[in-house]
Amino acid sequence: MIVAERKTIPELIEILQGHKKVLVLGCGTCVTVCLAGGEREVSIISSALRIASRLASSSLEIEELTIERQCDNVFIEKAAEAIERNDAVLSLGCGAGVQAIAERYPEKPVYAGLNTAFLGILEERAVWTEKCVACGACVLHEYGGICPITRCAKHMLNGPCGGSREDRCEVMPDRPCAWQLIYRRLKGIGQLDRLKQIKPPKNWNASIHGGPRVIVREDHRI
Amino acid sequence: MDNRPLKIYLFFCSNSLDTDTARRYCAGQKGEELKAISLPCSGKVDLLYLIKAFETGADGVMVITCKQGACRYLEGNLRAARRAEAVDSLLEEIGVGRGRIKVIKPQEEGDVEHIIREVDNFRAKISNLVRSNSQ
């Protein structure tokens, strides 16, 4: 899922300066699960902004709404009336959600209330870790399902680097060495031979470095 | 100076303090509005409840938990303390400042006197804080 965290309240106040009526719009998908932009967070951030507005003796009116998914026009439709009656939208969706709303309402200021951080998983209660950089050419099958690009601090395709200590990464000692994990996993599934293959440099054209990516499925377009 | 009555919210775990005791001993004093809210466990207190209390005009919020290690749901009191800390930090971000929320933990089970003493100390602190801010 997409993992994000909220911007600070002073940042949000600065972003919203000059607006009188703001819709704080949550998203019921990824950012709800990572406790950043769901219905509950919309309420908390709205309350915080109302208190801040009262302290500053300004008259900021805030409306709260959460839709199922901000990155999908079908669901954005459900926020249409609320978006129309407010001066601006503070989106608590991921970067894709913010842009989807902004594209749909070209004359309405739409601001990001979150910093979209990474693609990750819930590792333990309230701890999310990055697992995928969306490089566009997945190599997980070669590394026992553990991504060396995302999880090795040195992004090594031909590891290990030799610097790990007691299974921990030398760059980030609070994280496990990805190559230790890869070794154990490949050993467990009887594919240690894969480590003998030298991997050529990765082609990053399929990633964001090749420009914004588009996927078209012609079979679904009609 | 602001003459409105001091508004204090008191969220309490119903296993550490019963509603009658809370109303009798922690009742608002003159010029003060004290709202006592019973919870089945202090771990039920959520960031949203706490921040809403401040949004609706609370000057201070107290959360009364069980004594350490005595939560019948094991870690409710620990969660309440973490959430209170998060709200304290959020209030600082907002510009209200720290110190408006306090977690009160009895030293011994059923030590109501300790709770009442702590409640009185906190309401005095909030009263001074509000008075000095409005001058």
Side-chain angles (χ1 to χ4, degrees):
Chain A
M1 72 172 155
I2 297 167
V3 181
E5 58 185 349
R6 80 165 163 84
K7 289 181 183 289
T8 65
I9 300 299
E11 277 179 293
L12 296 179
I13 292 167
E14 199 187 324
I15 287 170
L16 296 176
Q17 239 172 17
H19 294 296
K20 294 281 175 211
K21 287 173 79 178
V22 172
L23 172 68
V24 178
L25 186 61
C27 178
T29 316
C30 308
V31 291
T32 292
V33 181
C34 69
L35 306 178
E39 196 171 358
R40 178 177 166 274
E41 289 71 34
V42 164
S43 269
I44 292 170
I45 291 172
S46 299
S47 282
L49 290 172
R50 286 187 196 106
I51 298 170
S53 156
R54 201 166 60 208
L55 275 181
S57 303
S58 66
S59 53
L60 181 63
E61 265 182 58
I62 293 171
E63 183 176 344
E64 304 173 20
L65 180 69
T66 300
I67 56 174
E68 190 65 32
R69 262 209 305 278
Q70 286 192 18
C71 57
D72 193 324
N73 274 336
V74 173
F75 296 104
I76 294 174
E77 193 62 48
K78 295 188 172 154
E81 285 177 16
I83 292 173
E84 287 299 336
R85 64 176 168 257
N86 283 281
D87 300 341
V89 178
L90 180 69
S91 162
L92 299 190
C94 69
V98 177
Q99 292 179 66
I101 305 274
E103 270 180 33
R104 185 73 186 263
Y105 295 92
E107 284 164 19
K108 191 72 67 175
V110 180
Y111 304 111
L114 303 180
N115 294 319
T116 304
F118 53 78
L119 296 180
I121 62 160
L122 179 70
E123 193 150 297
E124 58 185 83
R125 193 186 165 99
V127 177
W128 293 268
T129 52
E130 186 169 16
K131 298 293 186 214
C132 179
V133 290
C135 70
C138 190
V139 291
L140 278 169
H141 58 287
E142 297 178 61
Y143 299 93
I146 292 157
C147 179
I149 298 161
T150 315
R151 297 172 69 181
C152 169
K154 298 175 187 177
H155 316 298
M156 294 183 77
L157 289 175
N158 294 287
C161 67
S164 67
R165 286 190 180 81
E166 295 177 352
D167 301 354
R168 312 306 287 177
C169 171
E170 75 167 342
V171 179
M172 303 167 78
D174 61 326
R175 304 298 308 150
C177 165
W179 275 94
Q180 184 72 37
L181 298 175
I182 290 168
Y183 172 79
R184 285 209 187 118
R185 174 87 178 130
L186 288 177
K187 192 177 176 188
I189 59 174
Q191 294 185 8
L192 266 181
D193 276 358
R194 286 187 180 274
L195 291 181
K196 291 180 183 159
Q197 300 159 12
I198 304 296
K199 304 292 185 312
K202 186 173 169 60
N203 179 0
W204 287 95
N205 271 343
S207 80
I208 186 69
H209 305 295
R213 294 165 280 181
V214 180
I215 293 175
V216 181
R217 282 283 303 270
E218 290 296 349
D219 55 329
H220 282 266
R221 278 175 66 81
I222 299 174
Chain B
M1 194 182 126
D2 189 0
N3 283 325
R4 70 179 174 83
L6 198 67
K7 197 170 180 180
I8 292 179
Y9 282 57
L10 189 152
F11 292 90
F12 65 95
C13 164
S14 57
N15 301 303
S16 60
L17 196 69
D18 64 74
T19 310
D20 284 346
T21 311
R23 287 205 182 121
R24 202 174 333 133
Y25 294 106
C26 304
Q29 292 169 347
K30 200 177 171 193
E32 183 182 289
E33 187 187 330
L34 195 141
K35 200 170 183 176
I37 300 137
S38 170
L39 299 167
C41 170
S42 60
K44 182 77 182 79
V45 84
D46 189 80
L47 245 71
L48 187 56
Y49 299 177
L50 299 172
I51 200 69
K52 281 280 173 202
F54 286 101
E55 189 197 333
T56 53
D59 296 297
V61 170
M62 285 175 271
V63 182
I64 299 176
T65 71
C66 299
K67 114 179 217 251
Q68 197 151 354
C71 175
R72 72 168 64 175
Y73 303 104
L74 304 179
E75 48 197 21
N77 48 5
L78 303 177
R79 286 186 189 155
R82 293 271 178 96
R83 286 163 196 171
E85 172 55 36
V87 170
D88 204 25
S89 165
L90 184 58
L91 289 173
E92 188 180 31
E93 257 186 59
I94 294 169
V96 174
R98 281 186 177 264
R100 297 272 186 159
I101 184 160
K102 184 178 173 65
V103 175
I104 298 173
K105 242 183 280 180
Q107 305 285 328
E108 294 301 328
E109 267 183 87
D111 185 2
V112 178
E113 279 184 19
H114 171 79
I115 293 175
I116 293 167
R117 212 165 37 245
E118 289 287 306
V119 168
D120 284 342
N121 289 343
F122 182 72
R123 72 201 334 169
K125 179 191 160 187
I126 293 298
S127 174
N128 289 336
L129 201 63
V130 170
R131 221 172 286 137
S132 62
N133 282 354
S134 60
Q135 272 169 357

